[in-house]
Amino acid sequence: MAKYRQIYEQLAEKMRSGALPAESKLPSETELMHAFEASRGTVRKALDLLQEHGYVRKHHGKGVFVLRRDQIEFQFNGIVSFSEVYASMLGRSIQTTVASFEEIEAPPWLAERMNLEPGTEMYRIERVRNFDGENVILDVNYFVKDLVPGLTEAVAAHSIYHYIEHELGLQISYAKRKIAAEDVTALDRVRLDLHDYEYVIVITNDTFLYEGRQFEYTESRHRLDKFQFSDVARR
Amino acid sequence: MAKYRQIYEQLAEKMRSGALPAESKLPSETELMHAFEASRGTVRKALDLLQEHGYVRKHHGKGVFVLRRDQIEFQFNGIVSFSEVYASMLGRSIQTTVASFEEIEAPPWLAERMNLEPGTEMYRIERVRNFDGENVILDVNYFVKDLVPGLTEAVAAHSIYHYIEHELGLQISYAKRKIAAEDVTALDRVRLDLHDYEYVIVITNDTFLYEGRQFEYTESRHRLDKFQFSDVARR
DNA sequence: CTGTATTTGTACGTATGTATG
DNA sequence: ACATACATACGTACAAATACA
């Protein structure tokens, strides 16, 4: 692992364990240089990463300060699937059914979007989230088969992310999300209890591994009235 | 402005204008060094920023490639005000008009939400964003007068965040945001060109100063078809 | 398949600027 | 005025991934 990542990990671990408590000031860059036997640029790169990930805040001329932990954890929620976050927010349970589970070759639009070879083998999964007796969310997942081998319908019914991280031991790095309203499609009408709604809120999700390779593309399609998203942003 | 930011701006502008089209490869770091008369580290810092903001994707050993970038997009990495997001999007006509500017006492629902004394003095501002000749976004801002003194209609027409940070020197710390669809209100019908849309996407925003005091509550109401939100979630 | 050139990634060292106390 | 701490910028060297002859 790169040196600046090692420094990042060690400092992050100290913050999580409480050895570096919230509100406290980190040692200066010069001190960290000596402590880790690294150049200042390398130390700075680790600190930049910590700030980007919400662990610390740098103040020109003052120092680097540890942020409160609750905000960090909130950030962690961000990468988990929306339906799960949504469920925990409402304190109710959502029932998931796997509506479709296929192995396909990547269609051209997806291959281009994910920067894959045409014809790459993929899993395509449709899952419906039922809340209070109504189907309100449709998740369509595409996974690269090579990167996420051994996916089954049983896993899909449980938690795919848990499988990826704990069973396969893959490290998820980041996800790009986009939220927008779209016209209802024929598939939406089949899978969801739409009533008279003509639009759905669509969350597209491109998820990347630590090495920067994209292993997933997902569309999460929500009925308008059952959609809610919240987060905390920092300067 | 820092040199790496200038390089960032110039490259970003070329991508927005199409001089550097999507999918194309940027000149190598060495070429950019000579073109901008900068060191490689400086060029790299600009490229890192471009990647962080979703303009490009760097590929080890291959090069740096321009990503697709469609319609109106909210780049929500951190707290960003409207004019900051769209300042860069010149060439597409976006105009802001202040539709209403009042000094009021905090209504009960707001006092409770912001944890204020009943009757706290506030500014209430309505601003309409016109995109390609249509009014598509309505912002309703509430500011605590004591914390943001001297706000005027002229400031509101320009950039309130710029005023708060640079003129008043206040430190914004974090913002809680929520996004949901809501029924169109009478006010929406007055201010926006809604066509037949019966719903708007509403982003509510509670913004806090560094000491933890809330100074702002804002509702940003978007016409369905002109709403897009994107961000990057990291582990 | 093999070496070579190209391109980005990491790391180090140094110098100077800017904000804070 | 002075010291401290972070920000920017330059230069150099080597490693790692990729492309190509």
Side-chain angles (χ1 to χ4, degrees), chain A residues 208-226:
Chain A
F208 296 82
L209 293 175
Y210 174 66
E211 318 88 65
R213 282 185 302 179
Q214 182 175 357
F215 73 96
E216 177 195 12
Y217 169 73
T218 291
E219 285 188 15
S220 194
R221 309 178 69 86
H222 294 234
R223 201 173 77 189
L224 268 192
D225 62 324
K226 293 296 183 188

Side-chain angles (χ1 to χ4, degrees), chain A residues 47-118:
Chain A
L47 293 177
D48 287 346
L49 207 58
L50 285 168
Q51 167 156 294
E52 204 181 313
H53 292 197
Y55 282 94
V56 302
R57 177 180 298 279
K58 300 166 78 172
H59 277 287
H60 196 159
K62 291 172 79 173
V64 182
F65 298 87
V66 183
L67 289 179
R68 291 203 314 271
R69 186 139 159 63
D70 54 349
Q71 289 184 20
I72 296 173
E73 301 214 81
F74 209 112
Q75 185 78 354
F76 279 14
N77 284 348
I79 212 158
V80 178
S81 87
F82 275 87
S83 344
E84 290 162 29
V85 173
Y86 168 80
S88 67
M89 270 168 43
L90 294 181
R92 316 273 281 274
S93 68
I94 283 187
Q95 290 188 339
T96 300
T97 42
V98 179
S100 167
F101 188 100
E102 310 171 88
E103 303 188 9
I104 61 168
E105 291 189 351
W109 63 271
L110 187 59
E112 188 182 353
R113 181 186 182 110
M114 294 181 70
N115 204 9
L116 298 170
E117 293 298 315

Side-chain angles (χ1 to χ4, degrees), chain A residues 10-24 55 66-67 69:
Chain A
Q10 289 182 52
L11 290 175
E13 181 49 40
K14 281 192 176 183
M15 288 180 246
R16 286 191 294 261
S17 73
L20 283 169
E23 315 287 319
S24 69
Y55 282 94
V66 183
L67 289 179
R69 186 139 159 63

Side-chain angles (χ1 to χ4, degrees), chain A residues 84 96 98 127 129 153-163:
Chain A
E84 290 162 29
T96 300
V98 179
R127 289 183 294 177
R129 317 289 185 167
E153 201 163 330
V155 170
H158 178 228
S159 171
I160 294 177
Y161 268 63
H162 184 274
Y163 173 76

